[in-house]
Amino acid sequence: MKSKTSSYIVEFELITTFQDRYVINKKMKVAKSIYNACLNECLKRLKAVKADKEYHTLVKTESSKQRNIRLKEIELYYGYSEYSIHSYVKDINMHFKNHLGSFEVQKLATRAFKAVEKYHYGKAKKVYFKTYKDDMSVENKSNKTGLRLKDFKIIWDSLSMSFKVKKNDKYAQLALLDRTKYVRVLKREIRGKERFFVQLIQEGLPPKKHQTSTVENRVGIDIGTSTIAVVSDNKVFMNELATIKTPYKKLRRLDRAMDRSRRSTNPQNYNDNGTVKKGFKEWNYSKRYLKLKYRRKELFRKIASIRKQNHEQTANFILSLGLDVRVETMRFQSLQKRTKKTTRNKKNGKINKKKRFGKSIANYAPAMLLEIINRKLKYQDLELKKIDTYAVKASQFNHTTGEWTKKFLSNRWNNIDDKLIQRDLYSAFLIQNTTKTLDVVDIDLCNLKFDNFVKLHDIEIQRLKNLNNKKLNWFVA
């Protein structure tokens, strides 16, 4: 068994000619076909597994070692396993061996199997097949044959491509000195033009860009659906998770324009009352519709790019305060399902539910920030510490009295020892000062650090009040 070593990714844009782009597009097209074929085969085999009577009975019984072994045996009997899909894709690749290598095809099969596994275990509602316009990536298993890096060039069968490295990019230059495990090539559509990128999966730890603190320094995080409160011994701050101005007006206009175009080119697919006819329908899309669709896709790409960049910056700032990072366990998927308003449609009698946090969680992606912090901590052989939310009850606890008091969400201030303390910042302070077991607040430590916290808290509250930010002003009003 191969020993696992730490790795990181560094990305560059490929310098390609018209001929290079033509060849890569052909390879990507083949990769999509193979991926879709593997996905379809995985779903077929999973269907056969679920139809098995013994499997159906065992799934409903209590989990045990013998039961789990038997479930795996049934799955193997129907060929539902990663290595069985590798054998299946081997025969398919005989038709495309001039385009993709065996390792590259196996990686596509693994990706398809993992997608179906998520669907199988309820982590995804459905699986998606790749369309001809979807972005695609192809990767290898090693850097020895097929798609590989050699002499600072990307070699892929007949292709030999350079990639852009900025002269002042010291991070990239240091990263290229590490051993390359394998290579991944991606295709993205940016501002209506197709561009190709290469990701090098390098061995070891990434070069340090930012100065990090020591392990002894604790940081408490109270993360919400759109804001974050952070408390350390030297800094207290509260901010939006990402400074994103979602262009809702533009998106609504694009959606309406696309709907009008779709209706005008497909009148046969609609009923007299404007609803879509049931059953299989062939849709015709005009050039104008496709242009609008690409504009909409570009808006979402920009939003995602800004969000990720902001999260990376926030994570770096938090880790500069301390490496003992503690946060409440939050189930954002459950929050996303909550509703704040339920109405019944008078025409069809259907119940309409208005999500309480759905839009804010989708726009700010709080779970993504926690994943980034955890990834960066793993480079130091550490991990994000998650406290027991139900045991600590940080939003209700008062360390001076030792009592828990339920509060309305609209109540943003706590009266602690005759001092007004912002609710989220105080929760972060309590999370910072939990014990090693992560289920109890260390009251002695809270008493020791409280005066310093109040000074930093007051400075941060004054900063927030001076900001012209409606969201943050509501939290300190």
Side-chain angles (χ1 to χ4, degrees):
M1 187 178 177
K2 286 185 178 180
S3 59
K4 291 183 179 181
T5 56
S6 56
S7 57
Y8 65 98
I9 298 170
V10 59
E11 184 175 296
F12 304 97
E13 186 172 358
L14 286 170
I15 301 168
T16 55
T17 62
F18 175 81
Q19 186 63 27
D20 292 337
R21 291 192 291 274
Y22 174 79
V23 174
I24 296 173
N25 275 323
K26 206 167 186 180
K27 289 178 181 290
M28 293 289 183
K29 189 178 179 181
V30 169
K32 284 179 189 178
S33 299
I34 292 173
Y35 174 80
N36 287 341
C38 292
L39 203 60
N40 188 49
E41 185 64 23
C42 288
L43 288 169
K44 279 183 181 177
R45 295 184 184 191
L46 179 62
K47 190 177 180 181
V49 169
K50 287 185 174 182
D52 187 279
K53 289 183 179 179
E54 186 184 355
Y55 189 90
H56 187 71
T57 307
L58 283 169
V59 165
K60 293 180 179 179
T61 59
E62 191 178 347
S63 180
S64 65
K65 191 176 180 180
Q66 290 181 341
R67 167 217 183 232
N68 294 339
I69 291 169
R70 183 56 190 152
L71 287 174
K72 284 293 176 188
E73 286 175 354
I74 296 169
E75 288 177 359
L76 288 171
Y77 175 78
Y78 288 102
Y80 180 71
S81 71
E82 185 178 340
Y83 294 107
S84 297
I85 299 300
H86 284 185
S87 301
Y88 167 78
V89 82
K90 188 177 179 182
D91 297 330
I92 295 176
N93 196 39
M94 294 297 291
H95 303 285
F96 303 109
K97 59 184 178 181
N98 294 329
H99 298 285
L100 296 175
S102 57
F103 286 164
E104 292 150 23
V105 167
Q106 282 178 17
K107 272 295 187 85
L108 291 169
T110 299
R111 198 190 305 176
F113 179 76
K114 285 181 178 179
V116 176
E117 279 282 87
K118 284 184 180 179
Y119 168 71
H120 178 31
Y121 291 108
K123 292 180 181 179
K125 289 183 180 179
K126 60 187 291 188
V127 294
Y128 294 91
F129 289 85
K130 293 285 184 182
T131 64
Y132 75 101
K133 274 291 180 182
D134 284 342
D135 296 336
M136 188 64 186
S137 66
V138 178
E139 62 187 48
N140 204 345
K141 277 188 170 182
S142 69
N143 196 45
K144 294 177 180 177
T145 59
L147 176 60
R148 63 194 184 277
L149 174 71
K150 187 178 180 183
D151 299 328
F152 297 101
K153 286 195 172 183
I154 302 301
I155 309 298
W156 199 4
D157 297 336
S158 61
L159 298 175
S160 178
M161 300 168 287
S162 301
F163 48 86
K164 297 176 183 178
V165 183
K166 293 178 182 178
K167 290 182 180 179
N168 60 348
D169 193 347
K170 291 182 180 179
Y171 176 86
Q173 290 165 7
L174 289 169
L176 286 169
L177 297 175
D178 290 330
R179 185 181 77 86
T180 302
K181 287 185 172 183
Y182 60 94
V183 175
R184 182 184 297 128
V185 171
L186 305 92
K187 177 187 173 182
R188 294 195 186 112
E189 191 173 318
I190 301 172
R191 299 182 192 92
K193 293 182 180 179
E194 61 178 22
R195 290 163 69 178
F196 298 95
F197 298 84
V198 61
Q199 288 183 349
L200 307 179
I201 288 73
Q202 303 292 88
E203 187 178 44
L205 299 176
K208 285 188 178 180
K209 287 171 88 174
H210 303 276
Q211 190 175 3
T212 55
S213 186
T214 58
V215 184
E216 289 76 21
N217 293 347
R218 281 195 193 180
V219 181
I221 298 175
D222 183 58
I223 193 164
T225 54
S226 59
T227 59
I228 183 169
V230 178
V231 172
S232 70
D233 293 339
N234 302 317
K235 182 74 176 175
V236 168
F237 85 95
M238 186 177 180
N239 213 343
E240 283 188 87
L241 282 170
T243 53
I244 301 169
K245 292 182 180 179
T246 309
Y248 292 115
K249 284 185 179 180
K250 279 187 181 179
L251 288 170
R252 279 199 299 269
R253 285 169 184 167
L254 285 171
D255 287 339
R256 288 200 299 268
M258 287 168 66
D259 185 56
R260 288 195 299 271
S261 177
R262 189 168 53 242
R263 285 176 184 274
S264 63
T265 51
N266 301 276
Q268 72 282 359
N269 291 341
Y270 291 89
N271 296 313
D272 295 335
N273 61 357
T275 56
V276 180
K277 289 180 180 178
K278 289 184 178 180
F280 178 77
K281 297 164 286 295
E282 288 188 4
W283 294 91
N284 299 313
Y285 299 116
S286 64
K287 287 183 179 179
R288 181 175 179 274
Y289 177 88
L290 295 175
K291 282 181 181 179
L292 291 168
K293 185 181 177 182
Y294 299 148
R295 279 173 60 189
R296 187 175 182 274
K297 184 181 177 182
E298 179 64 16
L299 278 175
F300 280 112
R301 185 197 66 79
K302 285 181 180 178
I303 292 166
S305 179
I306 293 167
R307 183 194 299 120
K308 189 174 186 303
Q309 187 180 26
N310 286 347
H311 282 349
E312 293 280 354
Q313 290 170 351
T314 304
N316 289 335
F317 179 71
I318 290 168
L319 295 179
S320 70
L321 301 174
L323 296 178
D324 186 352
V325 186
R326 304 183 179 206
V327 67
E328 275 188 316
T329 50
M330 292 282 284
R331 297 186 65 184
F332 293 107
Q333 286 182 335
S334 299
L335 286 174
Q336 211 162 3
K337 291 176 183 177
R338 285 191 187 181
T339 57
K340 64 178 180 181
K341 191 177 180 183
T342 306
T343 57
R344 188 177 291 277
N345 195 314
K346 291 180 180 178
K347 291 183 179 179
N348 53 26
K350 289 183 179 179
I351 294 172
N352 299 324
K353 293 180 180 180
K354 185 163 179 144
K355 299 293 182 184
R356 181 176 178 181
F357 299 114
K359 192 178 284 187
S360 58
I361 290 173
N363 288 339
Y364 291 98
M368 182 197 285
L369 175 60
L370 297 181
E371 284 176 12
I372 290 170
I373 293 170
N374 200 34
R375 168 172 58 81
K376 289 177 182 287
L377 282 169
K378 282 181 179 178
Y379 296 147
Q380 313 284 339
D381 293 328
L382 301 168
E383 62 179 13
L384 194 64
K385 293 180 180 178
K386 295 183 178 180
I387 69 162
D388 189 334
T389 307
Y390 296 102
V392 176
K393 298 176 186 174
S395 61
Q396 302 174 20
F397 189 64
N398 184 331
H399 80 276
T400 57
T401 61
E403 296 176 350
W404 287 269
T405 308
K406 282 192 175 184
K407 305 178 187 74
F408 290 107
L409 194 65
S410 57
N411 188 2
R412 307 311 308 168
W413 295 90
N414 291 336
N415 191 338
I416 311 295
D417 199 19
D418 295 329
K419 295 181 180 70
L420 281 177
I421 306 295
Q422 206 281 332
R423 175 177 170 162
D424 300 311
L425 290 173
Y426 184 65
S427 294
F429 170 71
L430 294 177
I431 291 164
Q432 181 205 16
N433 297 309
T434 47
T435 58
K436 288 183 180 179
T437 55
L438 304 175
D439 58 356
V440 180
V441 175
D442 190 334
I443 295 174
D444 293 334
L445 196 59
C446 286
N447 290 329
L448 186 68
K449 293 184 177 182
F450 187 65
D451 290 337
N452 180 54
F453 164 70
V454 171
K455 288 178 185 177
L456 297 171
H457 167 273
D458 292 343
I459 293 168
E460 180 61 12
I461 293 299
Q462 191 59 47
R463 184 189 74 85
L464 292 172
K465 285 181 177 178
N466 293 335
L467 285 176
N468 187 20
N469 188 314
K470 288 182 180 179
K471 184 177 284 294
L472 293 174
N473 287 345
W474 181 81
F475 281 88
V476 295

